[in-house]
Amino acid sequence: YPIQAAVNLPLESAKWVHESLQTRAKLQEENESLRAELQTLKAQLQKFAALEAENFRMRELLDSSFRLGDQVLVAELLAVDLDPYRHQVLIDKGSSSGVFTGQPVVDASGVTGQIIHTSPASSSVMLLTDPAHALPVQVNRNGLRAIALGTGSATRLNIPFLPNNADIKEGDLLISSGLGGRFPRGYPVAEVSMVRYNPGEPFATVEARPTALVDRSREVLLVWPTEQLLIEESGPPAEKTAPPAGADGGSQP
């Protein structure tokens, strides 16, 4: 046996070295493959995280659309105006989808703004924080009417012309009043964040924080109020036309 083992030792050693090298090469190849697969899975995981966040936002919008009770359409932001003095965004729905100028735009938390320009495939939205935007509101607690003005800040609205004895306080919810015929009544707009009474001036200083995520929302809801749908379905009233001259046998004046 020792002689046989000594004779077979070179062959067995060569076989062991060959198998070891094959195993090492296979392990290296498998390691590289697993490493590449790990990188791919990490990239997919990042995408899944973004999809999960988008899915959460879409569920919030869906819940919001059920609460609104009006016909709605989900639109996605295409571009944001970089002018610091204008708060406007571009969305991917236009007149071909029935979008019209002045149409209310909301998100899952409240009023976002309104359509100011339409094209067949896109529309421009003026956000309620734009300095040129004004929205009639009322205090949800007592019905006090006011105007919410954009300030150019995504976190602040001005509520001007409220007297010092006005019944308004921090934490009050401001909703759209429906006056002006643009926004339906009852949409959340802002929450009062500061009330400062000025004894030497006729009006108090009131500021509010928008409930909508105007600087973070990626998707918005275009709203067709029930009243607007009824008007579109019924069509414009028929105009009364006078009978042509001479139709009743008389002479033309």
Side-chain angles (χ1 to χ4, degrees), residues 4-58:
Q4 290 178 347
V7 171
N8 291 330
L9 181 61
L11 182 60
E12 293 295 334
S13 300
K15 185 186 297 185
W16 178 82
V17 171
H18 180 69
E19 290 179 353
S20 299
L21 292 177
Q22 281 188 337
T23 302
R24 186 173 183 273
K26 185 177 180 180
L27 288 176
Q28 287 179 339
E29 182 180 356
E30 185 177 356
N31 190 19
E32 292 296 330
S33 176
L34 290 175
R35 187 176 300 173
E37 185 177 357
L38 178 61
Q39 296 297 328
T40 303
L41 290 176
K42 284 184 176 180
Q44 291 179 352
L45 183 61
Q46 293 177 358
K47 186 176 181 180
F48 289 155
L51 290 175
E52 183 181 9
E54 181 180 0
N55 189 25
F56 179 75
R57 295 194 302 269
M58 296 299 290

Side-chain angles (χ1 to χ4, degrees), residues 147-202:
I147 300 292
L149 301 178
T151 63
S153 170
T155 60
R156 183 167 56 88
L157 299 175
N158 279 341
I159 316 297
F161 312 128
L162 286 179
N164 284 314
N165 60 353
D167 184 13
I168 189 170
K169 58 185 180 181
E170 293 184 11
D172 277 343
L173 176 65
L174 302 178
I175 62 175
S176 56
S177 65
L179 301 178
R182 186 60 57 89
F183 286 88
R185 181 181 180 275
Y187 284 63
V189 175
E191 182 178 322
V192 177
S193 58
M194 188 268 287
V195 177
R196 184 172 67 246
Y197 299 105
N198 305 313
E201 299 179 7

Side-chain angles (χ1 to χ4, degrees), residues 58 61 73-77 91-93 105 218-222:
M58 296 299 290
L61 285 176
L73 176 67
V74 177
E76 187 173 354
L77 269 64
I91 59 175
D92 64 349
K93 296 294 186 295
V105 180
R218 183 65 186 268
E219 299 87 11
V220 295
L221 286 174
L222 297 166

Side-chain angles (χ1 to χ4, degrees), residues 61 64-65 67-75 91 97-108 110-115 182-185 187 220-229 232:
L61 285 176
S64 177
S65 67
R67 292 195 300 268
L68 294 177
D70 298 320
Q71 179 178 330
V72 296
L73 176 67
V74 177
I91 59 175
S97 300
V99 180
F100 58 92
T101 302
Q103 183 170 11
V105 180
V106 303
D107 66 6
V111 173
T112 301
Q114 60 180 298
I115 301 293
R182 186 60 57 89
F183 286 88
R185 181 181 180 275
Y187 284 63
V220 295
L221 286 174
L222 297 166
V223 180
W224 280 264
T226 305
E227 296 81 0
Q228 178 71 23
L229 293 175
E232 292 177 355

